[in-house]
Amino acid sequence: MTTLTYTLDVLDRAPALRGDAEAVRALLTSGSARIVPLWNERHLVDGTPRAQILSFPAAQQFDLTALVFLGLASDVPWFALRLPGSETPPDLGVPGEFKVLNDVVALLPGDEAAILAYARAMLLWQRNHLHCGRCGAPNALTEAGHSTTCTVCGHRTFPRTDPVVITLITHEDKCLLGRQAIWPPGMYSCIAGFVEPGEAIETAVRREAQEETGIDVGEVRYMASQPWPFPASIMLGFRAAALTTAISCNDQELEDCRWFTKSEIRTFGERNDPGTGFKLPNRYAIARLLIEGWLAE
Ligand SMILES: [Zn+2]
């Protein structure tokens, strides 16, 4: 199976070091540290584009208590830093532009894409947990950025990942794809939705299929997963067999949903193609992997 974007396991996350502030500081000042900046949810890339990584001396101008220790790649320590949300990007003294990760990911090496996704997930979580969810007082970052602790009541919060089920539903030689109104015209994809509290993942697959398409599904088979930090998801990919075929878009999340044969899908264009024809989801998305895996059978 193709390696999915954002899934390369390139860092030793070294969780045992997170509580050792002295050791983390030593790694930061070792001269080999690499720091991933994030400004207004954007990463710094150069014109190639290729991710441009800020090194420590340039980062000293920023608040280092906000750094997240990501881990070690061989002996190289990696950190992430959220830059102040100014209107114009700060000058880091390195060439490049701040870009949304998904806009440039197809042009990044896979190992760097995985590190940038991890950095993005951590820094967006940090931004959204500036205050205690229990008493509302300011939070302080702890464990090298991997937890927050309330400065008043001591309540601790840890980075969270929201599970999303994404399913290719099949019946005989057809599969079921839907589209949301906000997607590029003509693009269709697999059926997806958040797992709810108190719900088994297989139950979420069946519930989402019923809510969004009116289809009952039987056997549910896990295929693959993909971190999706937009802002905080893990995509859990499934194949499911339909028990019924009559479509009704019950919750209005999809503006359309249809059964397509393999030969129909083979005529689909790419997501960003101009024109009005049917289009596939992006090559780097798990939905595409699910569809192509089925097409290849
Ligand atoms: Zn509190």
Side-chain angles (χ1 to χ4, degrees):
M1 188 181 269
T2 320
T3 302
L4 265 170
T5 300
Y6 304 136
T7 61
L8 274 184
D9 181 21
V10 288
L11 291 179
D12 167 6
R13 296 189 176 213
L17 288 176
R18 293 171 189 166
D20 186 342
E22 221 166 276
V24 172
R25 187 81 198 169
L27 289 170
L28 182 62
T29 54
S30 65
S32 60
R34 308 197 70 185
I35 300 170
V36 178
L38 192 77
W39 171 77
N40 285 353
E41 302 195 19
R42 287 155 196 263
H43 286 296
L44 187 60
V45 297
D46 71 11
T48 316
R50 193 173 182 287
Q52 184 70 241
I53 309 298
L54 184 65
S55 63
F56 178 67
Q60 276 178 321
Q61 62 186 295
F62 303 107
D63 178 9
L64 294 183
T65 59
L67 273 175
V68 178
F69 172 54
L70 297 175
L72 300 160
S74 302
D75 290 331
V76 177
W78 285 77
F79 292 83
L81 178 66
R82 189 168 65 93
L83 302 177
S86 48
E87 265 192 26
T88 50
D91 181 8
L92 302 178
V94 287
E97 268 184 85
F98 283 90
K99 299 267 195 187
V100 175
L101 183 54
N102 264 350
D103 289 348
V104 294
V105 68
L107 300 161
L108 290 171
D111 53 351
E112 293 198 354
I115 292 173
L116 295 188
Y118 174 23
R120 179 183 160 86
M122 291 298 295
L123 295 173
L124 293 188
W125 166 76
Q126 192 186 92
R127 183 200 66 188
N128 291 335
H129 291 80
L130 299 176
H131 292 88
C132 174
R134 185 176 286 171
C135 78
N139 275 332
L141 280 170
T142 41
E143 293 184 276
H146 287 262
S147 65
T148 64
T149 304
C150 176
T151 52
V152 171
C153 77
H155 177 61
R156 293 176 75 203
T157 312
F158 298 92
R160 55 174 297 165
T161 300
D162 301 330
V164 173
V165 290
I166 179 162
T167 310
L168 185 74
I169 298 169
T170 62
H171 180 70
E172 296 173 352
D173 68 334
K174 294 190 171 103
C175 79
L176 184 71
L177 302 179
R179 61 165 279 106
Q180 295 182 14
I182 58 165
W183 291 352
M187 193 192 107
Y188 280 71
S189 188
C190 302
I191 307 307
F194 286 101
V195 179
E196 295 190 349
E199 186 173 52
I201 287 171
E202 297 84 347
T203 311
V205 170
R206 294 192 174 92
R207 176 184 51 75
E208 284 290 340
Q210 176 51 229
E211 279 178 13
E212 293 190 13
T213 71
I215 301 292
D216 292 330
V217 301
E219 186 200 359
V220 170
R221 183 155 52 106
Y222 172 74
M223 304 298 286
S225 69
Q226 182 179 40
W228 197 251
F230 304 94
S233 296
I234 173 86
M235 307 298 287
L236 306 169
F238 293 88
R239 179 86 68 82
L243 299 173
T244 61
T245 56
I247 296 167
S248 60
C249 298
N250 296 330
D251 65 358
Q252 309 303 315
E253 187 166 322
L254 299 178
E255 68 165 12
D256 189 32
C257 182
R258 305 181 190 194
W259 292 102
F260 293 99
T261 63
K262 286 186 177 179
S263 51
E264 284 170 332
I265 291 176
R266 288 195 183 101
T267 68
F268 281 26
E270 291 297 328
R271 175 191 164 110
N272 295 323
D273 284 351
T276 54
F278 290 116
K279 292 161 194 168
L280 289 165
N282 276 320
R283 286 187 181 281
Y284 55 79
I286 190 170
R288 182 69 171 261
L289 181 101
L290 295 172
I291 294 168
E292 290 193 342
W294 174 72
L295 281 179
E297 284 170 7

